[in-house]
Amino acid sequence: MPSSDDNLYRGDPPSAPPQYAPQPAYGPPPGYGPPPGYGPPPGYGPPPGYGPPGYPPVYVRPTNTMAILSLVMAFVFAPAGLVLGIVARKQIRRTGEDGDGLALAGIIVGGIITGIYVLLILFWIIAFASLTNGSFGP
């Protein structure tokens, strides 16, 4: 099964370069841009491919991971959110990281929900004790 590439080895150039259609010249429509004679002379100006100079990168302090976890855990398991918030605020004071508000929110939400849990457990204990004895008290 012979083909036209049988006599070629890997380094041979193709027999004829591909022909491409000429591209139209794009530019501003007539009547736009500076009048003739104004503007930089040819060859002057910024080199092509370079944009305006940028601003230096801004340093942003990292957010304490434990502060984020304290707020998340305050909704998932409130006592853990309360404890993580307290530990996170101590770390933030020591390291200077961001996230003090998150840790405080974790402490507040965790404390409120933990308090509601404690009141709910006390209510169940009182209700169970009153049902088993028939009366509560002496």
Side-chain angles (χ1 to χ4, degrees):
M1 193 182 272
S3 69
S4 63
D5 292 336
D6 286 341
N7 296 331
L8 297 176
Y9 63 92
R10 180 166 247 172
D12 284 341
S15 58
Q19 298 295 324
Y20 298 106
Q23 296 293 322
Y26 292 105
Y32 288 93
Y38 289 95
Y44 288 95
Y50 289 96
Y55 293 102
V58 178
Y59 174 73
V60 178
R61 292 186 302 180
T63 304
N64 188 300
T65 306
M66 202 169 293
I68 298 170
L69 288 175
S70 74
L71 185 57
V72 172
M73 290 302 290
F75 292 104
V76 176
F77 184 65
L82 180 65
V83 171
L84 286 174
I86 293 169
V87 173
R89 285 192 49 132
K90 288 181 182 179
Q91 284 183 356
I92 289 170
R93 277 192 227 113
R94 191 182 74 237
T95 62
E97 293 175 311
D98 277 345
D100 191 50
L102 292 172
L104 182 62
I107 291 172
I108 292 171
V109 173
I112 290 172
I113 295 177
T114 302
I116 292 172
Y117 283 155
V118 168
L119 290 176
L120 187 66
I121 290 171
L122 285 175
F123 172 76
W124 279 102
I125 290 173
I126 292 171
F128 184 71
S130 67
L131 289 175
T132 56
N133 290 339
S135 65
F136 187 72

